[in-house]
Amino acid sequence: MPTAIAVTSADLVLPPTDPGTPRAAVLPPPEGRPLDASVADMQQLLTRYGHVVVVCPTSVPAAVEHRLHAVRSLLESDRIALVRTDLPPLGAAVLVRQLCRLTGCDFTPGVLASAARLLAHYIYAGAVLGSVSRLDRVPVGLGSHLKSWLPGAHFAVLAGPTPQMVRVGSGEQALAGPEFATELLLARGHLQTDWPATTLVPRWRIPGPVQETALPASSPAWWGTGKLVEFAAYLPDLSVLHQLVSSVRREICHWCGMDLIGDRCGFCAAPLTVPEPGGGAYAGARGTGSYAGAQDAGSYAGAYTDPQGTDPRPADPRHALEPADPHAPGPAVPHPTRALGPGAHTPRALP
């Protein structure tokens, strides 16, 4: 029984790449919808699939996140994972489609939920904007703010994996792109420009035709303007995605018992290792199979070799999830939230 992938908006559902890819389930927004109806929707997914991974962008209204937590609490279920992502709308939609494709593979629900953070690092999501005066999700300098008022000024902005911004025009700096083979997906708003196809494609050595889709309704609000062309470069091959995820060492969450990859459980958000007094929150992670210890654990090292001679790893795989410095004082880690089973009253303390 495959794991269900659910989303908080229909904007995050792209057409499937093949007939065998299941579509993500759309959870209706809480506005004007009673809580018991939301509970019934989730219960139906749990009954059909067993586990549900909900991809919830950090840009959604607080009411959406509150409704998801309320539904999970009322169902007292530890089979619902709430995965947050900072990706812009089109990039988040690409991530959702990749997760949907991976549900047909041999991954457990815990691995799928924690793999979202890994896959997001390999999605180069950005946009060409007619103005950056209202852009507040990517760092914008004062000079760029002033130049955005010039007639005809366009800006190419990369939101992730590393934020960048350049002014489109003669002598422009190049956006640092992926060092592995990708495909490009475009979504056009109210901006007439072919810059992604004419400039970005050859610079990033993207083969094949550029795919286009409808602009997500939430994109203008995310980017601060409707004059945009949003783009996302991503790994298109299922075999590469499968090998990328399967090459990372699996662990068992000490809190909820789910499988995980990386340094944090996708279902209960508990860290891989229990923080010790006076140690960092991720102290010891490098030796226990987290992304930070990929070279020692054999996860990224030798995981995949592109037939074209490229490698999907970032320049420094230790930065894939940006773990905390193990020598720095760790932040206070609250007890992770764990769904309670029937008859339970309080969660147990961390061991």
Side-chain angles (χ1 to χ4, degrees), residues 245-335:
V245 175
S246 61
S247 63
V248 183
R249 178 176 170 178
R250 302 186 187 185
E251 301 286 348
I252 301 297
C253 177
H254 65 87
W255 178 257
C256 67
M258 298 291 288
D259 292 343
L260 65 91
I261 60 175
D263 57 0
R264 189 167 296 276
C265 178
F267 273 80
C268 70
L272 176 62
T273 56
V274 180
E276 299 178 357
Y282 295 96
R286 283 186 170 84
T288 52
S290 68
Y291 293 131
Q295 301 99 318
D296 298 333
S299 52
Y300 282 127
Y304 165 70
T305 302
D306 194 321
Q308 299 181 2
T310 57
D311 192 330
R313 295 178 293 174
D316 186 352
R318 292 175 300 173
H319 298 163
L321 287 181
E322 299 179 357
D325 184 352
H327 300 293
V333 179
H335 295 309

Side-chain angles (χ1 to χ4, degrees), residues 4-69:
I5 305 297
V7 294
T8 56
S9 170
D11 291 351
L12 301 180
V13 181
L14 293 173
T17 56
D18 57 80
T21 300
R23 296 178 68 92
V26 179
L27 301 176
E31 293 82 3
R33 187 172 180 81
L35 179 58
D36 57 352
S38 298
V39 172
D41 293 338
M42 185 64 71
Q43 182 63 64
Q44 184 178 9
L45 289 175
L46 289 173
T47 301
R48 181 177 179 182
Y49 295 97
H51 291 81
V52 180
V53 175
V54 183
V55 179
C56 179
T58 55
S59 57
V60 299
V64 175
E65 184 179 4
H66 294 165
R67 175 61 61 91
L68 291 173
H69 283 287

